[in-house]
Amino acid sequence: MSATTKPEAAAGWKIRGARPEDWPGIWAILEPVIRAGETFTWDRDITEDEARGRWFKQAPGQTFVAVDAGPDDGDGGGAGGRGGGDRTEGAVLGTGELHPNQGGGGSHVANAGYMVHPAQAGRGLARALCAYSLEAARDAGFRAMQFNAVVESNVRAVAAWKSMGFEVLATIPEAFNHPELGYVGLHVMYRKL
Amino acid sequence: MSATTKPEAAAGWKIRGARPEDWPGIWAILEPVIRAGETFTWDRDITEDEARGRWFKQAPGQTFVAVDAGPDDGDGGGAGGRGGGDRTEGAVLGTGELHPNQGGGGSHVANAGYMVHPAQAGRGLARALCAYSLEAARDAGFRAMQFNAVVESNVRAVAAWKSMGFEVLATIPEAFNHPELGYVGLHVMYRKL
């Protein structure tokens, strides 16, 4: 974890494996992001059941959540929403998943995805989820991590993953039809573990 | 179709949409390739049912076969196996599928896969299947085609796709564990439609 990412205790969250009962909190974060269609290459009209089946991964993959660590987190005075005064201990603030990017001879390279509650933006949570996934992937025996489709216009995400050691190996031209920007590229990003 | 690819009639095959009853012929081609694990990033121990579910695509994707055009094909004197004297009209000589490479904003880029019976190698069938998929993808409204994982050591395939207008946008280092060669790269290949 880099020097600019707050340790979990100071940041006020705890990252752990997701449980079935976390789903409503996860879906509350996923749904608006998927419906907006600006950063994720999922069908925007996916049903909740399909999304749950897709987000919850089986071993060697896994799904995890960042939950609010409660009032003792030392960071209760942040911006509004779940970052601010209405925080609830155990509330899902962000989520991530990792899984093999390919099968067979390609199964030693992991892929991962993350989503963060808008109220948590700018607090380092996406980077913390990424760091968690890198460690978890390493522990599960993966040798590298690859993102297949990072939307070029999602500059904050691109910068975050670069700061976590990923490099852009290629940009697939005009591979993403952004609802407002039109056709933009999709980055293939990669780092060894 | 390029000048070096034989027209279907001369080549002795016909490419058409796959039907459920084509499956045994398709599986006879897929299974040894999957079990060998040298060119496809599918789990080598996949069951036949899983493979069928994965190979048969729903619209806007599709699955197709090249079948033997029968004794009037003008090419009955080729090499052994199905390329030679024991050819049977309607026998599956090769197969392919195409599907959206991503969902949502990425669904205008197609992905495709092909497999050819070993006895057909060197006759241009893989290229003919690729040409068919390019045309079919164009007709279905896709704007580009991307391959995510072309095994670097599969030099014949890499050369074939290059000759069909694809370029290597990136090579994911050591992303494929070849049973004999060890870790080799996976090419991301791309062309506009």
Side-chain angles (χ1 to χ4, degrees):
Chain A
M1 198 174 288
S2 91
T4 57
T5 301
K6 294 179 189 177
E8 290 198 356
W13 58 63
K14 178 175 70 176
I15 302 178
R16 59 158 173 79
R19 304 166 188 150
E21 60 266 30
D22 293 322
W23 175 252
I26 294 173
W27 180 236
I29 295 173
L30 260 61
E31 187 179 17
V33 174
I34 294 167
R35 303 289 183 234
E38 297 184 348
T39 54
F40 252 62
T41 56
W42 285 25
D43 288 335
R44 293 171 69 175
D45 59 356
I46 193 171
T47 66
E48 181 176 348
D49 273 353
E50 288 171 323
R52 179 170 31 211
R54 198 160 162 178
W55 195 253
F56 275 104
K57 301 294 184 187
Q58 297 185 322
Q62 59 176 278
T63 302
F64 42 95
V65 288
V67 295
D68 196 308
D72 297 324
D73 64 21
D75 193 46
R82 284 180 182 155
D86 64 349
R87 294 177 59 167
T88 308
E89 185 168 347
V92 177
L93 308 179
T95 180
E97 56 79 27
L98 73 95
H99 61 277
N101 194 45
Q102 301 283 351
S107 59
H108 60 285
V109 179
N111 180 286
Y114 321 94
M115 291 210 203
V116 166
H117 191 282
Q120 299 298 319
R123 301 178 65 229
L125 181 50
R127 289 159 49 87
L129 288 165
C130 181
Y132 181 94
S133 74
L134 292 170
E135 190 65 30
R138 212 177 275 121
D139 288 349
F142 290 102
R143 296 166 54 103
M145 188 175 284
Q146 179 181 343
F147 302 147
N148 300 311
V150 181
V151 179
E152 190 178 32
S153 54
N154 190 4
V155 291
R156 198 152 64 182
V158 175
W161 311 149
K162 282 183 178 170
S163 79
M164 298 301 293
F166 286 81
E167 59 178 318
V168 174
L169 291 190
T171 304
I172 317 299
E174 302 183 354
F176 189 79
N177 190 6
H178 189 286
E180 296 193 0
L181 305 173
Y183 291 103
V184 297
L186 285 176
H187 292 316
V188 177
M189 300 187 76
Y190 171 90
R191 67 157 283 175
K192 280 206 188 329
L193 294 178
Chain B
M1 198 174 288
S2 92
T4 57
T5 301
K6 293 178 189 177
E8 290 198 355
W13 58 63
K14 179 175 70 176
I15 301 179
R16 59 159 172 80
R19 304 166 188 150
E21 60 267 30
D22 293 322
W23 175 252
I26 294 173
W27 180 235
I29 295 173
L30 261 60
E31 187 179 17
V33 174
I34 295 168
R35 304 290 183 233
E38 296 183 348
T39 55
F40 252 63
T41 56
W42 286 24
D43 288 336
R44 294 171 69 175
D45 59 356
I46 193 171
T47 66
E48 182 176 347
D49 273 353
E50 288 172 322
R52 178 170 32 211
R54 198 161 163 178
W55 195 253
F56 275 104
K57 302 294 185 188
Q58 297 185 321
Q62 60 176 279
T63 303
F64 42 96
V65 288
V67 295
D68 196 309
D72 296 324
D73 63 23
D75 192 48
R82 285 181 180 154
D86 64 348
R87 294 176 59 168
T88 308
E89 186 170 347
V92 177
L93 308 179
T95 180
E97 55 78 27
L98 73 96
H99 61 277
N101 194 45
Q102 301 283 350
S107 60
H108 59 285
V109 179
N111 180 288
Y114 321 94
M115 291 209 203
V116 166
H117 192 282
Q120 298 299 319
R123 300 179 67 229
L125 181 50
R127 288 158 48 89
L129 288 165
C130 181
Y132 181 95
S133 74
L134 292 170
E135 191 64 30
R138 212 177 276 120
D139 289 348
F142 291 102
R143 297 165 54 102
M145 189 175 284
Q146 178 180 343
F147 302 147
N148 301 310
V150 181
V151 179
E152 190 178 32
S153 55
N154 191 4
V155 291
R156 198 153 63 183
V158 175
W161 311 149
K162 282 183 178 170
S163 79
M164 298 300 294
F166 287 81
E167 59 179 317
V168 174
L169 291 190
T171 304
I172 319 298
E174 302 183 352
F176 189 79
N177 190 7
H178 189 286
E180 296 193 359
L181 305 173
Y183 291 103
V184 298
L186 285 175
H187 291 317
V188 177
M189 300 187 76
Y190 171 90
R191 67 158 282 174
K192 280 207 187 331
L193 294 179

